[in-house]
Amino acid sequence: MDSGNKEECRALLEHIDDKMINNPELFIRRPVYEQKDLDCIYDYSKPEKSLKQTLKSTYKEFRLNDFLKKTIPIIHWLPNYDWKKNILGDAVAGFTVAVMHIPQGMAYAMLGNVPPIVGIYMAFFPVFIYMIFGTSRHNSMGTFAVICMMTGKVVLTYSNHEDSQSNSTSSIEFHSSINQYSPIEVATSVTLGVALIQLTMYVLRLGVISSLLSETLVSGFTTGAAVHVFTSQLKDLLGLKLIKRRGILKVIYTYFDVFNNIDKINVTATIISSITILTIIFNNEVLKPRVAKLCAFPIPIEMMAVVMGTWISVQLNLSEIYDVTSVGHIPVGLPIPSMPPISLLSSTILDCFIITMVSYSISMSMALIFAQKLNYEVDSNQELMAQGLGNLVGSFFSCMPFTASLSRSLVQTSVGGKTQLASLISCFLLLFVLLWIGPFLEPLPKCVLASIIVVALKGMFVQVKDLMKFCRLSFSDALLWLITFFTVVILDIEYGLLIGGILCFAKLIILSVIPHGCKLALVPDTELYLDIERYRKTMEIPGIQIFHYCGGLNFATKLHFRKSVFEATGIKPQEELNRRAKMYFTEGATDEIKNQLRVLILDFSALTHIDSTGFATLRGLINDYMKIDVAVYLAGCSGPVFETIRKCNTVENVSDIFVMLPTVSDAVRYAKHENLILPISIPSSQL
């Protein structure tokens, strides 16, 4: 211990001495209770409800009005909306988010290998439904790069994809032949599959499943997916015409194709991409922080880039003279509702499940962050219903699966958005775009949209910093992040999520089957019992060993439990029996045996669960120690653990070998009385 720590400890001891002088010690006098005596005196009973009582109480508590308000939240918040306080902030937020939706929606639709107008459809139909049923006030729902790219992979696999962003006026129409589907058909089929999975999860009340994807897994996965997104935009940034790679190692093959075609770069498209990227970065890093001090309304730089790109394309005729690929035909009006192809569901159901897990986890993570920050509640099961219904409706209107966007959500909050009404205002503005503005954006160069995507990836690439945080907190978390990231990048997205998920679950299983255990010892002049390895000035009581067990005792942990007890006591009963048999007639052996362990106290105050296998293990352990004249007491059992032990005793007709006491202190005092073990007292002056 260095001199600084010694001075700190000395000052702390002086402070404690002052407290003891000014505050006399508190003495508590009470009898030592056994658990059965305590239960009898204070009338212990297990709380039980029959099925009839449960149904009756549920029926009494059921109120149609409350049920409707919970199921359709807009019924609750819209009549109570504070128009004077919130309308200005929601109006500004709705307009701002609508302006962001247009370029982001068109750009992210390209990731999904569907026409750009689909991104604006996604900002209208499912968002309108979510506004009615959702519980997050600040999530900006719609397109998100990772989800669109995951959908685009399925579209590329199952569609007769030539170039879904071509200038063909029929690109948005449904057409299919034998075993062939259009990109829109595949995308809407995936959306329908995601909707059905989400609604099924809602019926089964599986909202808690979002917590199964850890922060480490999501961070590594989305960072790796950002590499895929960036790679997919290289051809548009550089004006190259490359074949679309699929499957394992597609990122590596794509870079190989780029370098092989480096002499075919379209200089005009590259210049436009560079100017757009630099302009947006300059705005975000330099202008935006300064403008934020003057007004809450941010500069709509992405929308300005779209408008300027379109105007320059028209003035310079970029498409024909410089061979710069443009967005192409954008239909006017709303799409005609059509049924997605049900026959595709059997082929895409696994992809749908993966997309469901990722999209729901991302949305819930963002919703919980905003809810915690702004002090309101988010219902995880209701979010499943809202997203499921949004995807269900969207699947009939040419939409891909939607989720929350971190960038838009942060902007919506920062400009004053208070409630879901901001989404409603955004939807009405986008409806105006769909009905009248769309055709004006047809000359927009694709390289502008690709530039918007690349700059928007900054937030995902910055997550690399999370790796350093995980390294400091836990080596296993850092390793999980690295494996997930490199698997996503080198293999493919679904492989990364699968392997990362398996490792995440494996970590949970390992932690559950290797619970924590430690020896406890007495803090002198107190009734505190602390970990002897962490508190070096604690004192062991001669003849008594106290073992603290934290976790579950079941079929998976029984061997670890026995091993931990043997290591803590330093005695294996069978070996001790053999040793004593050999030493029985040896001179001095009797005294040695008398000085050995007499009582083992198992502190089960942190035991969470015990099953029949765990009970059998515990019973066998007690019997083994009884054979070498060591009494075993159980201390601090919770109600469910106590009830399970009692039930197993009754069912298996076991004689009452369990001595149970409510606290470790009771167990020690009981052991001293029953086994004639002399108490020890160590004055604090010896510390």
PDB file of all heavy atoms in Angstrom, residues 290-310:
ATOM      1  N   ARG A 290     -22.309  26.499 -35.627  1.00  0.00           N
ATOM      2  CA  ARG A 290     -22.471  27.941 -35.475  1.00  0.00           C
ATOM      3  C   ARG A 290     -23.908  28.375 -35.706  1.00  0.00           C
ATOM      4  O   ARG A 290     -24.418  29.245 -34.998  1.00  0.00           O
ATOM      5  CB  ARG A 290     -21.528  28.660 -36.442  1.00  0.00           C
ATOM      6  CG  ARG A 290     -20.046  28.351 -36.172  1.00  0.00           C
ATOM      7  CD  ARG A 290     -19.139  29.110 -37.104  1.00  0.00           C
ATOM      8  NE  ARG A 290     -17.728  28.795 -36.823  1.00  0.00           N
ATOM      9  CZ  ARG A 290     -16.705  29.328 -37.467  1.00  0.00           C
ATOM     10  NH1 ARG A 290     -16.912  30.209 -38.448  1.00  0.00           N
ATOM     11  NH2 ARG A 290     -15.472  28.982 -37.146  1.00  0.00           N
ATOM     12  N   VAL A 291     -24.542  27.776 -36.707  1.00  0.00           N
ATOM     13  CA  VAL A 291     -25.950  28.112 -36.982  1.00  0.00           C
ATOM     14  C   VAL A 291     -26.845  27.676 -35.829  1.00  0.00           C
ATOM     15  O   VAL A 291     -27.830  28.334 -35.506  1.00  0.00           O
ATOM     16  CB  VAL A 291     -26.405  27.464 -38.309  1.00  0.00           C
ATOM     17  CG1 VAL A 291     -27.907  27.643 -38.516  1.00  0.00           C
ATOM     18  CG2 VAL A 291     -25.634  28.057 -39.475  1.00  0.00           C
ATOM     19  N   ALA A 292     -26.474  26.561 -35.173  1.00  0.00           N
ATOM     20  CA  ALA A 292     -27.278  26.053 -34.057  1.00  0.00           C
ATOM     21  C   ALA A 292     -27.345  27.056 -32.908  1.00  0.00           C
ATOM     22  O   ALA A 292     -28.312  27.070 -32.144  1.00  0.00           O
ATOM     23  CB  ALA A 292     -26.717  24.725 -33.564  1.00  0.00           C
ATOM     24  N   LYS A 293     -26.309  27.912 -32.787  1.00  0.00           N
ATOM     25  CA  LYS A 293     -26.321  28.926 -31.725  1.00  0.00           C
ATOM     26  C   LYS A 293     -27.276  30.075 -32.045  1.00  0.00           C
ATOM     27  O   LYS A 293     -27.741  30.772 -31.148  1.00  0.00           O
ATOM     28  CB  LYS A 293     -24.912  29.478 -31.522  1.00  0.00           C
ATOM     29  CG  LYS A 293     -23.900  28.432 -31.063  1.00  0.00           C
ATOM     30  CD  LYS A 293     -22.513  29.040 -30.948  1.00  0.00           C
ATOM     31  CE  LYS A 293     -21.495  27.979 -30.519  1.00  0.00           C
ATOM     32  NZ  LYS A 293     -20.121  28.551 -30.433  1.00  0.00           N
ATOM     33  N   LEU A 294     -27.572  30.243 -33.343  1.00  0.00           N
ATOM     34  CA  LEU A 294     -28.422  31.357 -33.755  1.00  0.00           C
ATOM     35  C   LEU A 294     -29.887  30.966 -33.908  1.00  0.00           C
ATOM     36  O   LEU A 294     -30.781  31.744 -33.598  1.00  0.00           O
ATOM     37  CB  LEU A 294     -27.903  31.927 -35.089  1.00  0.00           C
ATOM     38  CG  LEU A 294     -26.442  32.421 -35.076  1.00  0.00           C
ATOM     39  CD1 LEU A 294     -26.024  32.876 -36.467  1.00  0.00           C
ATOM     40  CD2 LEU A 294     -26.278  33.561 -34.075  1.00  0.00           C
ATOM     41  N   CYS A 295     -30.131  29.741 -34.396  1.00  0.00           N
ATOM     42  CA  CYS A 295     -31.516  29.283 -34.573  1.00  0.00           C
ATOM     43  C   CYS A 295     -31.566  27.773 -34.448  1.00  0.00           C
ATOM     44  O   CYS A 295     -30.562  27.089 -34.661  1.00  0.00           O
ATOM     45  CB  CYS A 295     -32.089  29.726 -35.922  1.00  0.00           C
ATOM     46  SG  CYS A 295     -31.302  28.953 -37.348  1.00  0.00           S
ATOM     47  N   ALA A 296     -32.761  27.284 -34.117  1.00  0.00           N
ATOM     48  CA  ALA A 296     -32.932  25.840 -33.927  1.00  0.00           C
ATOM     49  C   ALA A 296     -33.068  25.106 -35.253  1.00  0.00           C
ATOM     50  O   ALA A 296     -32.856  23.903 -35.329  1.00  0.00           O
ATOM     51  CB  ALA A 296     -34.167  25.568 -33.058  1.00  0.00           C
ATOM     52  N   PHE A 297     -33.417  25.835 -36.314  1.00  0.00           N
ATOM     53  CA  PHE A 297     -33.662  25.197 -37.605  1.00  0.00           C
ATOM     54  C   PHE A 297     -32.339  24.954 -38.322  1.00  0.00           C
ATOM     55  O   PHE A 297     -31.622  25.901 -38.629  1.00  0.00           O
ATOM     56  CB  PHE A 297     -34.567  26.086 -38.461  1.00  0.00           C
ATOM     57  CG  PHE A 297     -35.068  25.423 -39.699  1.00  0.00           C
ATOM     58  CD1 PHE A 297     -36.144  24.561 -39.631  1.00  0.00           C
ATOM     59  CD2 PHE A 297     -34.461  25.642 -40.924  1.00  0.00           C
ATOM     60  CE1 PHE A 297     -36.613  23.937 -40.771  1.00  0.00           C
ATOM     61  CE2 PHE A 297     -34.919  25.024 -42.068  1.00  0.00           C
ATOM     62  CZ  PHE A 297     -36.003  24.170 -41.990  1.00  0.00           C
ATOM     63  N   PRO A 298     -31.950  23.695 -38.591  1.00  0.00           N
ATOM     64  CA  PRO A 298     -30.656  23.426 -39.228  1.00  0.00           C
ATOM     65  C   PRO A 298     -30.691  23.714 -40.727  1.00  0.00           C
ATOM     66  O   PRO A 298     -31.761  23.760 -41.343  1.00  0.00           O
ATOM     67  CB  PRO A 298     -30.442  21.937 -38.962  1.00  0.00           C
ATOM     68  CG  PRO A 298     -31.826  21.380 -38.907  1.00  0.00           C
ATOM     69  CD  PRO A 298     -32.686  22.450 -38.307  1.00  0.00           C
ATOM     70  N   ILE A 299     -29.517  23.907 -41.293  1.00  0.00           N
ATOM     71  CA  ILE A 299     -29.429  24.104 -42.739  1.00  0.00           C
ATOM     72  C   ILE A 299     -29.760  22.784 -43.436  1.00  0.00           C
ATOM     73  O   ILE A 299     -29.098  21.774 -43.187  1.00  0.00           O
ATOM     74  CB  ILE A 299     -28.008  24.558 -43.136  1.00  0.00           C
ATOM     75  CG1 ILE A 299     -27.672  25.886 -42.469  1.00  0.00           C
ATOM     76  CG2 ILE A 299     -27.888  24.678 -44.654  1.00  0.00           C
ATOM     77  CD1 ILE A 299     -26.245  26.336 -42.695  1.00  0.00           C
ATOM     78  N   PRO A 300     -30.786  22.755 -44.317  1.00  0.00           N
ATOM     79  CA  PRO A 300     -31.147  21.490 -45.005  1.00  0.00           C
ATOM     80  C   PRO A 300     -30.171  21.202 -46.136  1.00  0.00           C
ATOM     81  O   PRO A 300     -30.522  21.226 -47.319  1.00  0.00           O
ATOM     82  CB  PRO A 300     -32.560  21.783 -45.514  1.00  0.00           C
ATOM     83  CG  PRO A 300     -32.576  23.257 -45.736  1.00  0.00           C
ATOM     84  CD  PRO A 300     -31.680  23.857 -44.689  1.00  0.00           C
ATOM     85  N   ILE A 301     -28.936  20.876 -45.761  1.00  0.00           N
ATOM     86  CA  ILE A 301     -27.871  20.771 -46.748  1.00  0.00           C
ATOM     87  C   ILE A 301     -28.108  19.625 -47.728  1.00  0.00           C
ATOM     88  O   ILE A 301     -27.801  19.742 -48.926  1.00  0.00           O
ATOM     89  CB  ILE A 301     -26.507  20.617 -46.029  1.00  0.00           C
ATOM     90  CG1 ILE A 301     -25.351  20.720 -47.017  1.00  0.00           C
ATOM     91  CG2 ILE A 301     -26.453  19.309 -45.252  1.00  0.00           C
ATOM     92  CD1 ILE A 301     -25.221  22.066 -47.665  1.00  0.00           C
ATOM     93  N   GLU A 302     -28.669  18.494 -47.252  1.00  0.00           N
ATOM     94  CA  GLU A 302     -28.928  17.377 -48.168  1.00  0.00           C
ATOM     95  C   GLU A 302     -29.949  17.761 -49.228  1.00  0.00           C
ATOM     96  O   GLU A 302     -29.800  17.431 -50.406  1.00  0.00           O
ATOM     97  CB  GLU A 302     -29.404  16.142 -47.394  1.00  0.00           C
ATOM     98  CG  GLU A 302     -28.355  15.506 -46.512  1.00  0.00           C
ATOM     99  CD  GLU A 302     -28.358  16.080 -45.119  1.00  0.00           C
ATOM    100  OE1 GLU A 302     -29.088  17.067 -44.891  1.00  0.00           O
ATOM    101  OE2 GLU A 302     -27.623  15.563 -44.253  1.00  0.00           O
ATOM    102  N   MET A 303     -31.010  18.482 -48.787  1.00  0.00           N
ATOM    103  CA  MET A 303     -32.034  18.911 -49.746  1.00  0.00           C
ATOM    104  C   MET A 303     -31.454  19.924 -50.723  1.00  0.00           C
ATOM    105  O   MET A 303     -31.768  19.900 -51.924  1.00  0.00           O
ATOM    106  CB  MET A 303     -33.218  19.515 -48.986  1.00  0.00           C
ATOM    107  CG  MET A 303     -34.451  19.721 -49.841  1.00  0.00           C
ATOM    108  SD  MET A 303     -35.118  18.147 -50.411  1.00  0.00           S
ATOM    109  CE  MET A 303     -35.745  18.621 -52.019  1.00  0.00           C
ATOM    110  N   MET A 304     -30.610  20.808 -50.228  1.00  0.00           N
ATOM    111  CA  MET A 304     -29.966  21.790 -51.105  1.00  0.00           C
ATOM    112  C   MET A 304     -29.075  21.086 -52.124  1.00  0.00           C
ATOM    113  O   MET A 304     -29.000  21.492 -53.293  1.00  0.00           O
ATOM    114  CB  MET A 304     -29.154  22.776 -50.272  1.00  0.00           C
ATOM    115  CG  MET A 304     -30.005  23.684 -49.391  1.00  0.00           C
ATOM    116  SD  MET A 304     -29.040  24.668 -48.226  1.00  0.00           S
ATOM    117  CE  MET A 304     -28.059  25.656 -49.360  1.00  0.00           C
ATOM    118  N   ALA A 305     -28.403  20.015 -51.685  1.00  0.00           N
ATOM    119  CA  ALA A 305     -27.561  19.256 -52.611  1.00  0.00           C
ATOM    120  C   ALA A 305     -28.399  18.605 -53.701  1.00  0.00           C
ATOM    121  O   ALA A 305     -28.009  18.571 -54.881  1.00  0.00           O
ATOM    122  CB  ALA A 305     -26.768  18.198 -51.843  1.00  0.00           C
ATOM    123  N   VAL A 306     -29.569  18.096 -53.325  1.00  0.00           N
ATOM    124  CA  VAL A 306     -30.466  17.470 -54.313  1.00  0.00           C
ATOM    125  C   VAL A 306     -30.955  18.506 -55.318  1.00  0.00           C
ATOM    126  O   VAL A 306     -30.948  18.271 -56.542  1.00  0.00           O
ATOM    127  CB  VAL A 306     -31.646  16.795 -53.587  1.00  0.00           C
ATOM    128  CG1 VAL A 306     -32.736  16.419 -54.579  1.00  0.00           C
ATOM    129  CG2 VAL A 306     -31.177  15.564 -52.839  1.00  0.00           C
ATOM    130  N   VAL A 307     -31.380  19.660 -54.821  1.00  0.00           N
ATOM    131  CA  VAL A 307     -31.898  20.709 -55.714  1.00  0.00           C
ATOM    132  C   VAL A 307     -30.800  21.218 -56.650  1.00  0.00           C
ATOM    133  O   VAL A 307     -30.995  21.343 -57.872  1.00  0.00           O
ATOM    134  CB  VAL A 307     -32.491  21.870 -54.887  1.00  0.00           C
ATOM    135  CG1 VAL A 307     -32.873  23.036 -55.794  1.00  0.00           C
ATOM    136  CG2 VAL A 307     -33.707  21.392 -54.102  1.00  0.00           C
ATOM    137  N   MET A 308     -29.623  21.509 -56.079  1.00  0.00           N
ATOM    138  CA  MET A 308     -28.527  22.006 -56.903  1.00  0.00           C
ATOM    139  C   MET A 308     -28.054  20.953 -57.902  1.00  0.00           C
ATOM    140  O   MET A 308     -27.756  21.271 -59.065  1.00  0.00           O
ATOM    141  CB  MET A 308     -27.365  22.431 -56.007  1.00  0.00           C
ATOM    142  CG  MET A 308     -27.611  23.708 -55.226  1.00  0.00           C
ATOM    143  SD  MET A 308     -27.877  25.133 -56.314  1.00  0.00           S
ATOM    144  CE  MET A 308     -26.298  25.222 -57.168  1.00  0.00           C
ATOM    145  N   GLY A 309     -27.978  19.702 -57.467  1.00  0.00           N
ATOM    146  CA  GLY A 309     -27.574  18.636 -58.379  1.00  0.00           C
ATOM    147  C   GLY A 309     -28.538  18.485 -59.538  1.00  0.00           C
ATOM    148  O   GLY A 309     -28.129  18.285 -60.689  1.00  0.00           O
ATOM    149  N   THR A 310     -29.834  18.586 -59.244  1.00  0.00           N
ATOM    150  CA  THR A 310     -30.843  18.490 -60.299  1.00  0.00           C
ATOM    151  C   THR A 310     -30.729  19.660 -61.264  1.00  0.00           C
ATOM    152  O   THR A 310     -30.784  19.486 -62.495  1.00  0.00           O
ATOM    153  CB  THR A 310     -32.245  18.448 -59.670  1.00  0.00           C
ATOM    154  OG1 THR A 310     -32.323  17.372 -58.734  1.00  0.00           O
ATOM    155  CG2 THR A 310     -33.300  18.256 -60.735  1.00  0.00           C
TER     156      THR A 310
END
